[in-house]
Amino acid sequence: MPKESDELGKIRALIQYAESSAHGYDAIQHRAKIRPAKKPTQMTFAEIFEWIEATPNQQHAIGRYQIIPKTLGYLVTQTKVDLGVTFTPAVQDGLANILIVEAGYAEFMSGQISLDRFMDNLAGVWAGLPLKSGKSSYARSRRKQCDRDPNFL
């Protein structure tokens, strides 16, 4: 795992290890058949959204933290970032920090929630991280959907 000095950096390193491994900030979801013309760190948010729009029906997780389009859209709305901003390592780290804080970082650090709860919250954002049960949050989501819809599979 990459070496980080601060606590958020250590969590981001763990997320990278689970999500993008050696590809880091320029990672594209490995099942994406049509890749963007540029490395993610050279793309603007507008270019990322154009790539997503132009390549439907494929995986679009992007960057060190494999941010999916829905989450990326949410983050852009929350931060009001200009779509002309480049998806640099610093920008990606900042977006990941927002998601880590929303997952209960401050509450965990102050002892208001347990490590298991915090990790489950992170696993709800990054499916590469396991839930306390050892399963992916995607498995939990698929199970809930299957329970609601007998024709799911």
Side-chain angles (χ1 to χ4, degrees):
M1 282 184 24
K3 301 289 185 215
E4 300 279 354
S5 59
D6 64 271
E7 294 304 317
L8 280 173
K10 290 175 184 176
I11 295 168
R12 290 192 314 267
L14 176 66
I15 294 164
Q16 175 191 346
Y17 183 79
E19 291 288 335
S20 63
S21 192
H23 300 289
Y25 294 104
D26 284 320
I28 298 291
Q29 214 286 342
H30 68 277
R31 284 182 261 164
K33 293 179 180 165
I34 301 170
R35 301 205 177 272
K38 298 179 187 177
K39 291 180 177 184
T41 56
Q42 297 171 343
M43 297 174 73
T44 64
F45 282 92
E47 291 170 324
I48 292 169
F49 287 119
E50 288 168 10
W51 167 65
I52 292 166
E53 186 69 27
T55 57
N57 303 315
Q58 74 167 18
Q59 299 289 328
H60 293 102
I62 191 166
R64 183 182 191 202
Y65 308 103
Q66 291 294 277
I67 299 174
I68 61 174
K70 182 178 180 180
T71 303
L72 190 61
Y74 162 76
L75 290 166
V76 165
T77 300
Q78 289 299 109
T79 62
K80 297 178 178 37
V81 67
D82 185 280
L83 294 180
V85 169
T86 303
F87 199 57
T88 64
V91 167
Q92 292 182 46
D93 287 349
L95 297 176
N97 286 346
I98 291 168
L99 296 172
I100 293 166
V101 168
E102 288 182 353
Y105 175 76
E107 293 83 354
F108 166 66
M109 294 301 287
S110 68
Q112 294 174 15
I113 64 172
S114 68
L115 175 60
D116 287 340
R117 175 62 188 212
F118 180 54
M119 290 304 297
D120 276 358
N121 291 349
L122 290 174
V125 178
W126 289 285
L129 297 172
L131 295 163
K132 181 181 177 188
S133 67
K135 295 185 179 188
S136 164
S137 65
Y138 285 168
R140 177 176 65 183
S141 296
R142 289 177 54 84
R143 180 70 195 160
K144 285 181 181 178
Q145 189 172 356
C146 184
D147 289 345
R148 288 190 309 267
D149 181 0
N151 299 317
F152 174 65
L153 300 174

